[in-house]
Structures are given as C-alpha cells and as structure tokens.
C-alpha cells in the first residue's frame, strides 16, 4: 500500500521548471526566417475568418429581429448567440494557429505578450499589422456578400451605445480586455503546466470562454471590442462618423487592459518584481 502511494505521488509530482529566457526586444534575425512570415500569414487568415463569421452573425441577428423587414423581435440568435459566435471562433482559431503563431488574433493580446517579453518588438508590430489587415479583409468580404444588410444594420461596427458616457465605455473595454489577457496568461503559463502536469489544460477553451463571458457583459455598452483589430476592420469598411468618433475607445481601452493584465500576472502573481529585486540585492 505504501509503495502504491509513493508511486502515485511520483506520478503526479510537478515537473522541474525553469523560466524561459525573455524574448529579445528587437530581433532582426526573425526577418530571415520563413517561420516568421508563416506566423504572420496565420494571424492574417485567422483574423479574417474571425471577423467574417462574427460580423455576419451580428448582421444576421439584426436582420432577423428587424420588424420593418418582417422580422421577429424575439427571433434570431440573440446576444447569447452573438457571444457564442465570438467565443467559439476564438476557441477554434486559437486551437488551429497556436502552434504556428501563438494564436493571438488580437493586437491587445499581442501587446500584453510583448510587455511580458514573450515576443519581440518586431514580431509584435508585424502581428498587429497582419491582424488589422485581416480584419479589414474579413469585414470587406461580409460587405461584398451582404452589402444591403451591411449598410442597413451598421456593419457590425463598435460604437458607444446611447445612454452610456465615454468613461463607462472605456472602463468596460479596459476590464473586458483585462479578463481576456489575464486568461491568456493563465492558460498558457508554462509554470502551471509543469506544476499541474496531471491536469491537462486545453488553452483555447478558457480563452474562448473568456471572450464569450465578456461579450455577454459588454455588448449592450460598446458592442464589445476588446480587440482593436475587430473594431478597426469594421470601422474602415463601414466608415461612418460616429464609429470613427468612438474608435479611440476601442484602442486605448484594450491596450490599457492588456498592459494591466500583463503587469498583474508577471509581477504580482508570478512575483517578477520580487525576483528582480532579489537578483539586484544578490549582485550588490
């Protein structure tokens, strides 16, 4: 009996773990590697597919509930269905691209990982460019296939809802993005994988659920951005004054939320600040 207990303890003991070295701030050598360009292509296509499916879902719901177009006010997928579309697509696309590009599909996620030194500056900037272009192309396809509905129902563009002031909208985007990026850090933490190796974690699943839950909370306020590429792509194609007036909220909010999440996870939960201070003292 004692041997069985010892064997079980050894089987479920944590693996040895060492923090991986931080990514270089600027790594020009990346520009010579095919894997770098393959990752950018993966981010572009993933963001394109993400926007194509989700914006179509938003427009389809608005058409189905449009009583002036013989719709049913209680019909369509509802806010719950829209939230599932966004969360489900993130789950699918992160699962598909995680081994190629890391499955960011969101400039805010990329910024958070850059601040935590998980990716270099060059990779972070190029990812954001690829994501933004992918979003524009994804929404462009929606308009090409559903032009009349696209223009009639606002192109799925994010804007501050009536009755909410700028502070509320900005706070919603900051907190929503914090939840998402914090989940990304937690689900992909190699230390957690080593410590809890007996508990398998499918990282795309909690990330998709985070997107789903945030959408349920913030769709009535801002339409839910938490992804600057998603908001920017819809704004470029829809191109209306109100959307552009509110656009800054969907960049500042997600970037601030991502930065706070990166600091919280790396320096509070992972005690990065304490480790750095200890290293400084030992070298003094």
């Amino acid at each position: 009996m004692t041997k069985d207990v010892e064997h079980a303890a050894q089987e479920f003991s944590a693996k040895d773990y060492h923090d991986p070295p931080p990514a270089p701030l600027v790594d020009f050598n990346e520009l010579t590697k095919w894997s770098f360009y393959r990752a950018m292509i993966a981010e572009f296509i993933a963001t394109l597919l993400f926007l194509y499916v989700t914006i179509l879902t938003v427009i389809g719901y608005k058409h189905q509930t449009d009583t002036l177009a013989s719709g049913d006010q209680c019909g369509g997928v509802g806010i719950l269905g829209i939230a599932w579309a966004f969360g489900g697509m993130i789950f699918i696309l992160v699962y598909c691209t995680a081994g190629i590009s890391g499955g960011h599909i969101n400039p805010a996620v990329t910024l958070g990982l850059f601040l935590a030194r998980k990716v270099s500056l060059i990779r972070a900037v190029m990812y954001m460019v690829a994501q933004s272009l992918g979003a524009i192309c994804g929404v462009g396809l929606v308009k090409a296939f559903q032009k009349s509905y696209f223009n009639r129902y606002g192109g799925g563009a994010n804007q501050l809802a009536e009755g909410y002031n700028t502070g509320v909208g900005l706070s919603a985007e900051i907190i929503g993005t914090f939840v998402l990026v914090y989940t990304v850090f937690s689900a992909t933490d190699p230390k957690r994988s080593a410590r809890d190796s007996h508990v398998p974690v499918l990282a795309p699943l909690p990330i998709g659920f985070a997107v789903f839950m945030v959408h349920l909370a913030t769709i009535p306020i801002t339409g839910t951005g938490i992804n600057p590429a998603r908001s920017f792509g819809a704004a470029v194609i829809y191109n209306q004054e109100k959307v552009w007036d509110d656009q800054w909220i969907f960049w500042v909010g997600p970037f601030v939320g991502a930065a706070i999440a990166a600091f919280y996870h790396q320096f509070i939960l992972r005690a990065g600040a304490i480790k750095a201070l200890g290293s400084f003292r030992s070298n003094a």
Side-chain angles (χ1 to χ4, degrees):
M1 181 64 178
T2 304
K3 292 182 178 180
D4 292 340
V5 173
E6 290 177 353
H7 177 71
Q10 291 175 357
E11 183 178 351
F12 294 111
S13 62
K15 299 177 182 178
D16 291 335
Y17 172 79
H18 299 285
D19 276 319
L25 182 60
V26 179
D27 185 7
F28 291 106
N29 190 44
E30 284 188 309
L31 299 174
T32 65
K33 298 178 180 178
W34 163 242
S35 59
F36 174 74
Y37 298 99
R38 182 181 63 183
M40 283 199 302
I41 293 171
E43 287 292 311
F44 171 83
I45 296 297
T47 313
L48 183 155
L49 294 175
F50 176 60
L51 267 294
Y52 175 73
V53 171
T54 54
I55 297 300
L56 272 180
T57 302
V58 172
I59 292 174
Y61 163 68
K62 290 185 176 181
H63 175 64
Q64 290 170 324
T65 56
D66 185 1
T67 55
L68 298 178
S70 303
D72 181 1
Q73 196 168 9
C74 297
V77 297
I79 289 180
L80 184 64
I82 293 173
W84 271 122
F86 279 89
M89 281 302 291
I90 286 296
F91 168 69
I92 293 168
L93 295 170
V94 171
Y95 181 84
C96 291
T97 60
I100 301 172
S101 65
H104 296 194
I105 320 172
N106 184 338
V109 171
T110 300
L111 176 67
L113 294 174
F114 165 70
L115 293 176
R117 299 294 300 274
K118 305 293 185 182
V119 296
S120 70
L121 177 61
I122 291 176
R123 184 174 290 264
V125 170
M126 294 308 295
Y127 271 20
M128 292 181 190
V129 171
Q131 292 155 359
S132 298
L133 292 176
I136 293 170
C137 292
V139 181
L141 286 177
V142 174
K143 184 174 183 180
F145 296 147
Q146 300 277 358
K147 186 173 183 179
S148 60
Y149 292 159
F150 182 90
N151 292 327
R152 184 187 308 171
Y153 300 118
N158 290 124
Q159 55 184 303
L160 193 62
E162 292 184 8
Y164 294 98
N165 60 42
T166 301
V168 173
L170 186 62
S171 298
E173 289 296 309
I174 291 173
I175 296 171
T177 311
F178 174 87
V179 172
L180 170 59
V181 178
Y182 174 40
T183 304
V184 169
F185 275 107
S186 298
T188 59
D189 189 347
K191 184 175 182 179
R192 177 176 182 173
S193 299
R195 182 191 62 207
D196 303 328
S197 57
H198 60 287
V199 182
V201 177
L202 182 61
L205 186 59
I207 295 171
F209 262 109
V211 172
F212 167 69
M213 297 303 295
V214 171
H215 273 76
L216 287 181
T218 59
I219 282 176
I221 303 173
T222 61
T224 308
I226 68 172
N227 184 335
R230 175 261 186 271
S231 303
F232 181 67
V236 168
I237 301 301
Y238 185 55
N239 196 28
Q240 295 294 321
E241 184 178 356
K242 167 63 173 170
V243 174
W244 284 119
D245 287 343
D246 294 341
Q247 184 65 196
W248 69 271
I249 296 173
F250 302 102
W251 285 88
V252 174
F255 279 175
V256 171
I260 295 172
F263 176 82
Y264 175 65
H265 184 270
Q266 293 297 104
F267 293 96
I268 305 300
L269 299 186
R270 293 292 305 278
I274 296 175
K275 292 177 182 177
L277 181 61
S279 175
F280 174 76
R281 286 176 174 174
S282 64
N283 291 332

